[in-house]
Amino acid sequence: MDSHSMHTHTCGELRREDIGKQVTLTGWVWHRRDHGGLIFIDLRDRSGVTQISFDPEHSGGTAFHAAEHVRSEWPIEVTGVVRERPEGQDNDKLATGQIEVLVSELEVLNTSKTPAFQIEDHVDTSEDVRLRYRYLDLRRPKMMANLQMRSNFTFALREAFHKREFMEVETPCLFKSTPEGARDFIVPSRTQPGNFYALPQSPQLLKELLMVGGVERYYQVAKCFRDEDLRADRQPEFTQVDVEMSFVKQDDLMAELEEVLADAFEQMGVHMELPLRRIQYWDAMDTYGIDKPDTRFGMHLHDVTDIFKSSKFKLFASAANTEGQYVKAINAKGAGKWPRAQIDKLADVAATFGAKGLAYIAFREDGKVTSPIVKFFSDEEMAALRAEMEVEPGDLVMFAVADRLTADTILGGMRNHMAKALDIPREGHDFLWVVNFPLFHWDDEANRLDSEHQPFTQPNENQMDLLDSDPLKVGSHTMDFVMDGYEAGGGGMRIHNADLQMHILRLLGFSEERAQAQFGFLMEALKFGAPPMGGFALGLDRVCMLLAGADSIREVMAFPKTSSGSDLMSGAPSEVSGQQLKEVSLRIL
C-alpha cells in the first residue's frame, strides 16, 4: 500500500484475500462496457488491470451516472469495495481476474482525445504513427512490460557488479573527436570558436585511462553515439554496459563477466550454464559461417573441396585445385520440396552475402534430383556428396565457391536465411563466447589493414613476429559474447605498452603526427606504468530485445529514432535560429 499517493492499491495487486476492503484506485479507462443497467470498466495502470463495476442502485447512483460519460483513456480516481466477481465471470488471463471493485465514488481527473490507435498489445498500426505518439504507445501493457524488464535487468547488472566491488564511474559525453570506426557526432564550442567536442562512440579510451588511474574494476551504464547509416537494428544513440579490469589475464576477465551475466540473467528467470562454451573465431566461421552463431539449430557448413578435385564441373574443379579456394556446402532440410522458381530466387539472397551465383542440388521427395549442375558430376562425386551432407529426400544442398572467408560468409548468410524461411524452431536462449578473432582484416575500399575489433586490442604474444611479415595471420586477445545469434557484447585485452600501441597505429596507416593528434593523451598515459588491462561492453538494448522476444531494439527503448535518425514525436533533428548559430560561430552554407 502506498500512503503517499492518490490510491490505496495499484490496478495489478488486488486478490481474493482483499474481498470486503474499501479501496481507492487511479488509472486510465481501458475498456468500458454498458450491460443495460450495469457499467463495467477495465481500469489500467502500469502494474495491471482491475475490473470496476457501477450499479445504479449503489450509493444513490451518483458514481453510475458519472460512469455513463467517461470514455477510453480518461484518467479517473475511484473508491469502492472489493467483491467476488459474479459466478462464471472469472478471468483467468488477469492476475486480478477473480475480483472486481463496486464503485461508490468516481472522480474524473482529465479527459482525453481519441487516440490515433487503440491502446492494445496487438496494435495494427504503422510504426511511424506509434513513434509519433510514443507516449500513448508506452501505455500498451507490452511496451510498459518491456520498459519494466529493462529497468529490472539493468538493476540486476548493477547489483552483480556492486557486490563484486566494481566501481561505477561516469565518463564525459563532451569529449575529443577520435573516430574509432563510425562517424562522430560533433558539438561546436561557443567559448572556443572553430573548435568542437565530439559525443563518444564508447568510453573506450576513458576506461583505459581509469585503469591507468588505478580504478582496477570499473563499470558504467553508458550512452554511446554514432553518426552512422542506420539499419533496422541501429540507433544513433544506444546504451552499453561498459566494463574494464586491470591486473588481470583474459581468463580472469571472462570468468568474472560470466558470473555477473549469470547473476543478472538468473534475476530475469533465465538460467545460464557456466562456464560458457568458447568457440574459436575460425571454428565459428567454418562451422556456422558467422562470428555470432546461433547454435540452437544445425545446418552446419561442410568443406567438400576434396570431393571435386578431378570433377568435370570446371568451376568446382578449378577451385579445388587452387590454393586458398574452397567449395563449401550446407543442407537445408525440407527446402528441396520447394518449387523451382522459389529455389531460383535464392541466388538473389546469396548475392547480398557476396555470392556471384548460387549452385544448388534439390533432392526431390520422389527420388528425382533437379539441378543445373548435376549433369557434370560422376556417380562417385554424387555418392561422396550424399554421404558428407547426409542427404535425404526433400533436402536442398547449396554451394559457395570462393576464398575461405567469403565462402563461409555466403553460406552463413544463407544458413540464417533458410532457418527463417523454413521456420526452424529455436528453444530457449543460446549463450557462448567467440574468442581469438584476427587482429586485422583487409579493407578493400581503403586498400589497407583495419582493426577487426579496435586499434587498442592486444595481439597474441606468440605471434608478435608476424606483425610486420604477415599481419593478417595474427590473432588477438578478444572475445564476443553471443546470445541467440546476435553479438550481444564484445571485448578483450588492451595494449598497455606505448611502443606497441604506436606500432599497431602505424600498421593501420596512421602517421606519427596523426596518431599524436588523435590519441596523444592515451599514448602519453601508457608511459606512466599502465597495468595489464582488459574489458568488455554489453549491448544493453540488444540483450533486452532478446529477453523481450522482440525483433527490434526500438521495442525496448522509450523514445527511439526512426531508421533515418528522426524523432517523429518532437521533430528532431530540426533547424536552429540564426542567433544560436552565430553564438557558436557557424553558418549554414
Side-chain angles (χ1 to χ4, degrees):
M1 189 180 290
D2 186 345
S3 56
H4 303 285
S5 187
M6 292 172 70
H7 50 251
T8 59
H9 296 75
T10 68
C11 293
E13 70 177 293
L14 295 172
R15 302 289 187 270
R16 284 193 78 94
E17 47 271 30
D18 297 304
I19 287 171
K21 283 184 189 166
Q22 171 143 322
V23 299
T24 299
L25 302 178
T26 52
W28 281 276
V29 172
W30 199 14
H31 308 121
R32 180 180 167 283
R33 302 180 296 284
D34 204 329
H35 286 201
L38 287 176
I39 292 173
F40 295 97
I41 285 176
D42 292 332
L43 192 66
R44 186 196 74 242
D45 66 10
R46 75 175 204 179
S47 70
V49 180
T50 299
Q51 176 172 293
I52 57 177
S53 62
F54 300 84
D55 185 332
E57 307 297 311
H58 187 63
S59 296
T62 52
F64 178 84
H65 293 306
E68 288 184 301
H69 301 288
V70 303
R71 293 291 173 262
S72 283
E73 297 310 308
W74 288 21
I76 61 173
E77 178 187 342
V78 295
T79 299
V81 175
V82 182
R83 66 177 187 181
E84 192 167 10
R85 287 204 188 191
E87 186 94 15
Q89 289 185 20
D90 285 10
N91 182 347
D92 301 338
K93 293 196 180 92
L94 284 184
T96 59
Q98 295 189 312
I99 56 94
E100 64 178 23
V101 175
L102 178 63
V103 177
S104 47
E105 294 169 45
L106 178 153
E107 186 185 344
V108 171
L109 303 172
N110 205 344
T111 59
S112 170
K113 285 170 43 171
T114 303
F117 49 86
Q118 284 186 301
I119 312 293
E120 301 291 347
D121 272 346
H122 301 291
V123 57
D124 187 21
T125 187
S126 77
E127 193 179 35
D128 281 4
V129 177
R130 287 176 51 205
L131 292 177
R132 163 86 179 76
Y133 296 99
R134 187 59 155 191
Y135 43 83
L136 294 178
D137 195 40
L138 292 177
R139 289 185 193 173
R140 296 192 299 117
K142 178 81 184 122
M143 286 302 295
M144 191 51 64
N146 285 354
L147 283 191
Q148 184 65 61
M149 178 274 293
R150 182 178 174 129
S151 169
N152 293 348
F153 182 61
T154 310
F155 182 70
L157 282 165
R158 278 198 160 100
E159 222 172 14
F161 281 119
H162 186 74
K163 76 177 187 206
R164 287 174 178 81
E165 296 181 0
F166 280 80
M167 198 190 291
E168 182 164 16
V169 184
E170 292 186 6
T171 55
C173 280
L174 293 176
F175 197 55
K176 183 182 172 64
S177 180
T178 56
E180 284 137 55
R183 210 178 278 110
D184 281 336
F185 281 102
I186 55 174
V187 181
S189 163
R190 179 182 59 80
T191 52
Q192 299 177 40
N195 288 301
F196 294 81
Y197 300 105
L199 303 180
Q201 293 181 29
S202 82
Q204 178 59 45
L205 299 174
L206 291 155
K207 65 181 181 178
E208 290 191 35
L209 296 176
L210 289 173
M211 294 305 102
V212 179
V215 170
E216 284 195 28
R217 296 159 88 83
Y218 141 94
Y219 84 97
Q220 180 184 192
V221 180
K223 269 276 190 218
C224 304
F225 306 87
R226 291 184 182 176
D227 187 9
E228 57 188 351
D229 295 332
L230 303 172
R231 297 201 298 262
D233 223 23
R234 287 204 170 146
Q235 286 280 310
E237 52 183 310
F238 56 95
T239 307
Q240 67 184 34
V241 181
D242 203 41
V243 188
E244 196 81 4
M245 297 174 74
S246 55
F247 297 110
V248 287
K249 292 192 159 71
Q250 187 170 355
D251 284 345
D252 308 324
L253 172 66
M254 290 172 77
E256 196 79 45
L257 287 167
E258 284 184 5
E259 286 185 22
V260 166
L261 291 167
D263 261 18
F265 279 116
E266 202 69 50
Q267 296 294 317
M268 309 309 290
V270 173
H271 180 65
M272 184 193 262
E273 199 63 50
L274 296 186
L276 291 185
R277 283 173 300 157
R278 296 184 186 189
I279 302 181
Q280 296 282 324
Y281 168 83
W282 275 114
D283 290 342
M285 292 304 296
D286 288 339
T287 309
Y288 303 101
I290 198 163
D291 58 11
K292 40 181 186 282
D294 188 336
T295 68
R296 292 171 299 178
F297 65 99
M299 215 190 303
H300 294 168
L301 279 61
H302 291 251
D303 182 352
V304 293
T305 314
D306 287 349
I307 295 175
F308 298 105
K309 273 207 155 42
S310 50
S311 179
K312 290 195 170 64
F313 187 44
K314 292 262 191 320
L315 178 69
F316 284 14
S318 153
N321 291 290
T322 305
E323 175 89 24
Q325 291 292 301
Y326 292 82
V327 183
K328 295 196 170 192
I330 57 169
N331 181 354
K333 295 199 162 290
K337 306 173 194 168
W338 288 5
R340 170 124 192 206
Q342 192 180 354
I343 294 174
D344 284 340
K345 279 195 189 125
L346 291 173
D348 296 338
V349 180
T352 63
F353 303 116
K356 295 185 173 69
L358 185 69
Y360 69 83
I361 305 177
F363 295 88
R364 300 297 183 186
E365 286 185 297
D366 59 7
K368 289 203 177 93
V369 176
T370 55
S371 159
I373 60 171
V374 79
K375 57 177 181 268
F376 300 109
F377 293 171
S378 69
D379 291 350
E380 291 78 23
E381 286 163 5
M382 278 302 279
L385 184 69
R386 282 175 185 269
E388 174 68 29
M389 303 306 295
E390 298 179 0
V391 168
E392 298 168 312
D395 288 357
L396 177 69
V397 174
M398 290 170 272
F399 300 90
V401 184
D403 62 87
R404 184 182 185 183
L405 186 61
T406 307
D408 285 348
T409 305
I410 292 165
L411 291 179
M414 293 310 292
R415 175 179 180 266
N416 278 347
H417 175 82
M418 296 307 289
K420 212 174 211 163
L422 293 163
D423 216 4
I424 293 176
R426 303 178 210 189
E427 297 300 316
H429 291 293
D430 183 38
F431 301 109
L432 56 98
W433 293 111
V434 174
V435 296
N436 194 17
F437 283 73
L439 188 65
F440 302 115
H441 61 258
W442 187 258
D443 181 337
D444 280 330
E445 277 180 40
N447 198 31
R448 62 170 172 78
L449 291 174
D450 199 1
S451 297
E452 182 68 33
H453 264 204
Q454 34 137 303
F456 317 109
T457 303
Q458 176 68 36
N460 285 344
E461 289 81 359
N462 59 0
Q463 295 181 306
M464 292 293 191
D465 55 332
L466 295 173
L467 275 175
D468 294 313
S469 59
D470 198 352
L472 289 171
K473 281 223 166 72
V474 180
S476 63
H477 286 286
T478 38
M479 72 272 185
D480 274 5
F481 172 61
V482 179
M483 176 178 179
D484 303 347
Y486 286 85
E487 181 198 326
M493 299 302 290
R494 320 297 184 201
I495 295 168
H496 63 285
N497 173 293
D499 293 339
L500 177 59
Q501 184 62 75
M502 192 61 232
H503 190 163
I504 297 293
L505 289 173
R506 271 200 295 268
L507 287 172
L508 292 168
F510 280 79
S511 65
E512 193 97 24
E513 295 71 40
R514 189 170 147 232
Q516 284 304 329
Q518 266 190 32
F519 302 117
F521 61 96
L522 173 71
M523 316 286 271
E524 178 76 357
L526 294 180
K527 292 171 184 162
F528 287 91
M533 55 180 130
F536 176 78
L538 184 77
L540 186 65
D541 312 294
R542 193 165 280 173
V543 173
C544 289
M545 171 188 89
L546 295 169
L547 285 171
D551 50 15
S552 160
I553 57 174
R554 292 193 289 269
E555 295 299 298
V556 293
M557 302 174 98
F559 299 107
K561 312 276 191 294
T562 64
S563 52
S564 64
S566 305
D567 175 357
L568 298 178
M569 186 179 66
S570 71
S574 54
E575 293 180 1
V576 295
S577 70
Q579 181 58 32
Q580 285 171 289
L581 287 172
K582 196 171 163 190
E583 282 176 354
V584 292
S585 309
L586 287 182
R587 65 165 188 268
I588 306 291
L589 295 176

